[in-house]
Amino acid sequence: MSAGQETELEDQRWTLARIGRLIEERFHVTYEISGVWRLLDRLGWSWQVPKVRAVERDEEAMAAWRRETWPAASHLRRSPQVEGG
């Protein structure tokens, strides 16, 4: 990896988008994010998760969001499809 790339990745996270860019730079093949995920999964690999958590992390707020907001958001109904359109 070049010095420029090391500076860009100083937060130490290998996101699917970053992995996709690296694949494109090295092998001249472009994948969508879902394709990068599938490729890693087939190889038995995964993207890297940060070693440390944010100092600002608020566990109580996260728990409240999971309890109150997520159930409503995860069960939104899809709008009915219009026939013949």
Side-chain angles (χ1 to χ4, degrees):
M1 201 173 273
S2 71
Q5 287 175 320
E6 289 174 14
T7 328
E8 181 184 327
L9 299 176
E10 59 190 35
D11 66 1
Q12 299 180 358
R13 289 182 297 150
W14 280 95
T15 63
L16 293 172
R18 285 180 174 173
I19 295 168
R21 280 197 310 267
L22 183 65
I23 291 170
E24 186 173 3
E25 289 172 12
R26 295 259 175 118
F27 303 104
H28 307 286
V29 176
T30 305
Y31 285 97
E32 292 185 7
I33 300 296
S34 60
V36 174
W37 180 83
R38 287 186 190 103
L39 178 64
L40 292 175
D41 187 53
R42 273 184 278 171
L43 294 170
W45 296 354
S46 65
W47 59 94
Q48 184 177 4
V49 177
K51 292 181 181 178
V52 294
R53 292 184 177 174
V55 174
E56 302 86 9
R57 186 177 170 124
D58 184 347
E59 296 292 337
E60 290 179 22
M62 290 171 53
W65 184 87
R66 276 191 217 105
R67 234 183 1 262
E68 299 161 13
T69 307
W70 175 244
S74 66
H75 299 294
L76 292 176
R77 296 176 188 244
R78 292 184 179 180
S79 59
Q81 294 181 358
V82 177
E83 290 184 28

